[in-house]
Amino acid sequence: MKKVLFIALMAFAMTVSTDALAQKFSGLDKSPMDMAAFPTDYKVSTKTARIIYSRPQLKGRSLSELAPAGKVWRTGANEAAEVTFYADVNFGGKDIKAGTYSIFTIPGQGEWTVVLNKNLNQWGAYSYDESADVARVSVPSAEDSNSLEEFSIVFKEAGAGFEMIMGWDKTRVAVPIVVAKS
């Protein structure tokens, strides 16, 4: 009798625990989250900068439709992109303290304004608050012969520092970054 009761209890426990673990998971996001870091070599664990952003796709739409000129853009999709500097840096000519910042951009003809903002965890640019800006830098935009379907950000060594390069469609925007001397 004890053996039958034990087997019945075990079967019941297995059924309950399997049901408790049952979970529906969503599919892939249409604008998946990505990350870029500098130095780019994965073997270098001490990073200077890291950015987390979502990657919208053109899908037959124009860049000017998705990131209109003269309007604040969240620089990606979904949440506003966030960059972390692990050291004090000079970001496009502005001295920035180590920390995490939201990034917004304002596309323009021939140049973009790149904004670092101290408010984090923002969805899109809907609650963007200009009074929380830490820096605004204007950088030239260029056109590339290759089109990028997905919005992309990379870091690349450049001169005495590195650049954060944003690209989408044929537009490329590079912000120079130099680690501050201590």
Side-chain angles (χ1 to χ4, degrees), residues 31-42:
S31 299
M33 192 171 284
D34 202 354
M35 180 187 80
F38 186 84
T40 58
D41 187 340
Y42 71 91

Side-chain angles (χ1 to χ4, degrees), residues 28-169:
L28 288 176
D29 192 297
K30 290 179 169 79
S31 299
M33 192 171 284
D34 202 354
M35 180 187 80
F38 186 84
T40 58
D41 187 340
Y42 71 91
K43 296 175 189 169
V44 178
S45 60
T46 305
K47 300 296 182 188
T48 304
R50 180 181 74 175
I51 186 163
I52 298 173
Y53 66 103
S54 291
R55 300 185 68 189
Q57 301 161 38
L58 291 173
K59 293 185 179 181
R61 302 169 293 181
S62 71
L63 176 59
S64 62
E65 176 184 347
L66 299 169
K71 296 195 181 214
V72 174
W73 179 50
R74 68 182 114 195
T75 313
N78 306 327
E79 297 90 355
E82 291 184 357
V83 65
T84 299
F85 297 113
Y86 297 99
D88 294 350
V89 298
N90 184 286
F91 182 82
K94 306 279 183 168
D95 291 332
I96 303 298
K97 294 285 184 199
T100 301
Y101 305 92
S102 293
I103 290 190
F104 295 94
T105 47
I106 304 170
Q109 290 290 24
E111 74 174 18
W112 283 33
T113 301
V114 182
V115 179
L116 296 181
N117 186 280
K118 65 182 176 184
N119 292 339
L120 303 177
N121 302 314
Q122 298 184 65
W123 180 263
Y126 304 110
S127 61
Y128 167 73
D129 177 6
E130 186 175 345
S131 70
D133 288 355
V134 173
R136 282 179 167 238
V137 299
S138 293
V139 291
S141 63
E143 192 165 305
D144 194 273
S145 59
N146 296 318
S147 180
L148 288 169
E149 173 65 22
E150 302 85 9
F151 174 69
S152 301
I153 300 176
V154 296
F155 290 107
K156 179 181 121 187
E157 285 191 51
F162 59 103
E163 293 177 319
M164 181 181 75
I165 303 169
M166 297 175 277
W168 203 12
D169 195 9

Side-chain angles (χ1 to χ4, degrees), residues 10-22:
M10 289 303 291
F12 175 74
M14 288 175 64
T15 304
V16 169
S17 74
T18 332
D19 288 344
L21 295 177

